[in-house]
Amino acid sequence: MTSYSAPTRRPRSSETNSGAAWMVATMLLGLMVAVVGFFALLMWADARESLDTAGQPAVAAAARATDHNVALPLNSFAGVVPENAQELAAAHKPTSAALPPIPAGELVKVQMTLKDMTVEIAPGVKYRTWAFDGHGAPGPIVHVREGQTVEMTLTNGGAISHSIDFHAARIAPNVAFKDVAPGESITFRFTASDPGVFMYHCGTKPVLAHIANGMYGAIIVQPKAGLPKVDNEYVLVGSEWYMNGDGIKEPASLDMAKARARMPDWVTFNGYANQYVTHPLTADPGETTRFWVVAAGPTNNVNFHVVGGMLDRAWVNGDMTNPPQNGVQTVLVPAGGGAVFDVKLDKEGLYPFVSHAFADVDLGQVGLLKVGNPKGTTTH
Ligand SMILES: [Cu+2]
C-alpha cells in the first residue's frame, strides 16, 4: 500500500537526494501496472469469449427450468404435521379397505363423476386432488367376475380434461381412454377376460400429474374358477404425494419438480398416511387374510411384506392363470401393477404390513393387521 501511494506524493527539498530513486521506483511501478493491466485485459477478453459461446445455452436452460418448475433445491414437507396429529389421526375415518361384493348379472355398470376436491392425506395435511367419483384417492374399488362385461361411464365434473384407463381391459385406448372435456361424459364397454387385480387411472397428459393428483384406483377381476376360500379380504392401493407446501394452513397442490425427482412428501396405502396403524385392519387367530394390492405410483413400487408372517400364497403380478408362489417373504408390486397375497396368522398379535422399501414406511406406507385382541401397541 505505501509503495503504491508513494509516487503520488510530492517530494520535499530535504528528500531531493532520494528523488532519483523515487523516479526509478515510479517508472518501475508504472511499468508493472501496465503489464498487470495488459494481462487483465487478456483475461477479460478470454472470459468474454467463453460467455459468448456458453452463455446462450445456459440462459436457455435456466428459462426451461423456470418454465417447468424444476429449479432446485426442492423443499420437502415430509412428515410435517400439526401438533395435535395423534388426535387428528384418531378422529380420521379410515378409507374402507373392504372388498365390495360382485354385482349380479352379465353387465356391470360403473359410473364415476370426476370432481376437484380437497382431501386429507395425513393428519391435518390437506391436498387438492382431482378425484374419481368424489372419493379422493384412490377412487372406488370396482369388483367383477371374469367374463362379466364392464360398462364404464365417466363424467367430467372437473375443470380440465381427464380420462380413464383400465389395465383390465383389452381395448383400443385411442377410442375408450380418450380425453373427456369438462362437463362431458364418455361410455365404453370391455369384457373382464383376465382375472387378477389391476390399476385404473387417468391417462391424460401429463399422466404423472394426473396420477399424482389422485386419479387412480383398483379393479378386481375374480377368476371364474374361484380362489381358495379365505376369511378376510382387503384392498390396498399404494401411492405417493408430492406437495408444494405442508398442506396445514392451506391445502397443498402438486409439485411437479418433486414428482419428477421422485421425492415424495407422503407415501400411503389407500391415500392416507398410517391410517391402518391408528385404525388397524382385523383378523382372528388362525384366519387367512387376502390382500389385493395395487401400486398406483405414480412412480413408486410397493415391496409388499407382512412383518411376523409369510405370504403363504402369492399371485405375483396378479397372474391367476398359474398357481401362486408359496411361503414368500416380500413381493415386488411394480408401479402400474398388482398382486394378491394370502396370509395365515395363527397367533394373536399386531402384524405390520409394509412396503419393505423403508423410506416409504417412514413417509406413511405402513398399516397393522390386528389379529385377535392383543394388549398394547407394537414397537416394530
Ligand atoms: Cu386426469
Side-chain angles (χ1 to χ4, degrees):
M1 285 295 284
T2 49
S3 64
Y4 183 79
S5 58
T8 62
R9 190 163 69 92
R10 229 171 147 184
R12 291 181 299 207
S13 59
S14 59
E15 290 171 334
T16 47
N17 282 346
S18 57
W22 276 115
M23 248 172 118
V24 172
T26 304
M27 281 169 70
L28 279 172
L29 280 163
L31 195 63
M32 270 174 70
V33 167
V35 169
V36 168
F38 176 70
F39 278 106
L41 193 67
L42 280 181
M43 284 167 76
W44 174 79
D46 192 41
R48 182 169 178 156
E49 193 179 2
S50 303
L51 267 176
D52 283 344
T53 52
Q56 204 55 39
V59 168
R64 277 200 304 276
T66 309
D67 284 345
H68 294 277
N69 188 27
V70 291
L72 297 174
L74 300 171
N75 191 11
S76 176
F77 302 103
V80 178
V81 288
E83 274 184 19
N84 61 340
Q86 287 295 343
E87 210 177 294
L88 293 169
H92 166 72
K93 187 174 179 289
T95 310
S96 175
L99 184 65
I102 299 174
E106 285 309 300
L107 181 67
V108 177
K109 290 187 177 182
V110 181
Q111 286 190 303
M112 293 186 205
T113 300
L114 197 141
K115 283 176 192 157
D116 299 340
M117 62 186 288
T118 297
V119 299
E120 227 177 64
I121 62 164
V125 177
K126 291 174 214 64
Y127 186 90
R128 292 192 184 94
T129 61
W130 299 331
F132 281 124
D133 208 35
H135 267 235
I141 298 164
V142 181
H143 190 192
V144 298
R145 189 175 305 287
E146 182 187 353
Q148 281 183 316
T149 298
V150 178
E151 184 183 279
M152 176 68 214
T153 300
L154 176 69
T155 300
N156 187 354
I160 61 167
S161 287
H162 295 286
S163 58
I164 191 162
D165 166 340
F166 278 90
H167 290 192
R170 294 172 185 263
I171 201 165
N174 57 312
V175 178
F177 303 161
K178 67 182 180 188
D179 286 0
V180 182
E184 295 188 357
S185 296
I186 190 171
T187 299
F188 61 90
R189 288 184 177 191
F190 65 91
T191 302
S193 54
D194 298 83
V197 56
F198 301 88
M199 181 181 179
Y200 69 78
H201 63 92
C202 178
T204 300
K205 289 176 186 168
V207 182
L208 175 60
H210 286 252
I211 296 178
N213 269 343
M215 302 198 70
Y216 48 79
I219 172 169
I220 287 144
V221 183
Q222 289 280 348
K224 225 179 219 169
L227 288 174
K229 198 182 168 326
V230 291
D231 303 289
N232 318 287
E233 298 194 67
Y234 297 117
V235 182
L236 299 174
V237 179
S239 64
E240 68 271 11
W241 301 90
Y242 305 90
M243 302 175 4
N244 68 350
D246 62 17
I248 295 170
K249 278 195 180 139
E250 58 175 334
S253 295
L254 174 64
D255 187 321
M256 196 63 169
K258 281 154 84 170
R260 288 199 186 102
R262 305 179 180 209
M263 188 180 147
D265 295 287
W266 295 96
V267 186
T268 57
F269 281 127
N270 293 345
Y272 188 101
N274 304 321
Q275 60 183 328
Y276 306 119
V277 174
T278 318
H279 307 277
L281 304 179
T282 56
D284 279 330
E287 286 188 342
T288 299
T289 299
R290 180 165 294 152
F291 293 96
W292 301 84
V293 181
V294 161
T299 300
N300 281 14
N301 305 318
V302 172
N303 301 263
F304 195 73
H305 175 80
V306 177
V307 181
M310 201 60 74
L311 306 176
D312 293 297
R313 299 187 198 100
W315 287 271
V316 180
N317 288 323
D319 169 17
M320 297 200 144
T321 56
N322 288 297
Q325 294 183 11
N326 303 115
V328 183
Q329 58 184 317
T330 302
V331 168
L332 174 72
V333 186
V340 187
F341 308 108
D342 286 357
V343 182
K344 184 172 185 291
L345 297 165
D346 294 324
K347 295 189 174 69
E348 188 170 81
L350 291 167
Y351 296 80
F353 52 88
V354 297
S355 173
H356 215 284
F358 264 86
D360 293 343
V361 171
D362 221 45
L363 300 178
Q365 198 166 58
V366 52
L368 291 175
L369 183 64
K370 183 179 170 185
V371 177
N373 286 300
K375 290 190 178 72
T377 55
T378 178
T379 57
H380 200 88

